[in-house]
Amino acid sequence: MKWRESAYIVLYVYLKVFNRSQFHVVHFETYKKKPLEEVNSIFKFLDIPTLTADSIEAQRIAKKSPSFVGKQYRRVGGMLEVTRTLLNKFYSRFNGELAALLDDDRFLWIK
């Protein structure tokens, strides 16, 4: 079972038992673009103090690069467009179900 399939299934089962307000799902692409804002949204969800932009912790978060950007990634390069198309086609059903379940179109993975 792949991650996107399992994420949808696990969330679907949990949401049958628990209230949606008890979950905070992080959209990875949003986290990559705005890490401090996303971390602060998690902190707000947990009802703990958020970070100010000038705090040391916030500066560390802002400087941290995603783990996939390494020597191997730079050497191999980005994903081929044909591969991206195949994966999007394969996962579109699961992405649609997850987006509907979370009421969040960001999980449709549409550019």
Side-chain angles (χ1 to χ4, degrees):
M1 182 175 290
K2 306 288 186 238
W3 156 246
R4 290 184 188 176
E5 297 159 335
S6 63
Y8 163 71
I9 292 167
V10 169
L11 279 171
Y12 182 80
V13 171
Y14 281 157
L15 290 173
K16 292 285 187 186
V17 178
F18 301 102
N19 189 298
R20 171 70 174 97
S21 66
Q22 294 177 279
F23 292 87
H24 181 85
V25 179
V26 175
H27 184 252
F28 183 64
E29 281 71 15
T30 304
Y31 174 78
K32 285 190 318 188
K33 291 176 186 172
K34 301 176 182 178
L36 181 58
E37 289 178 28
E38 197 62 34
V39 167
N40 275 334
S41 75
I42 295 167
F43 285 9
K44 286 178 187 173
F45 176 77
L46 297 173
D47 199 25
I48 59 177
T50 58
L51 301 173
T52 60
D54 60 340
S55 71
I56 294 171
E57 294 85 359
Q59 291 171 16
R60 285 186 189 150
I61 291 168
K63 288 181 184 177
K64 187 171 176 72
S65 65
S67 60
F68 66 84
V69 182
K71 293 177 187 175
Q72 183 72 10
Y73 181 81
R74 285 187 214 103
R75 189 181 64 142
V76 173
M79 185 185 300
L80 295 174
E81 198 56 40
V82 65
T83 305
R84 184 179 312 282
T85 301
L86 286 170
L87 288 171
N88 283 335
K89 184 177 178 181
F90 178 79
Y91 284 112
S92 64
R93 176 181 146 229
F94 301 108
N95 293 343
E97 291 173 359
L98 181 61
L101 182 67
L102 297 175
D103 193 25
D104 190 339
D105 287 344
R106 293 178 302 168
F107 292 94
L108 291 173
W109 306 95
I110 299 172
K111 284 189 174 189

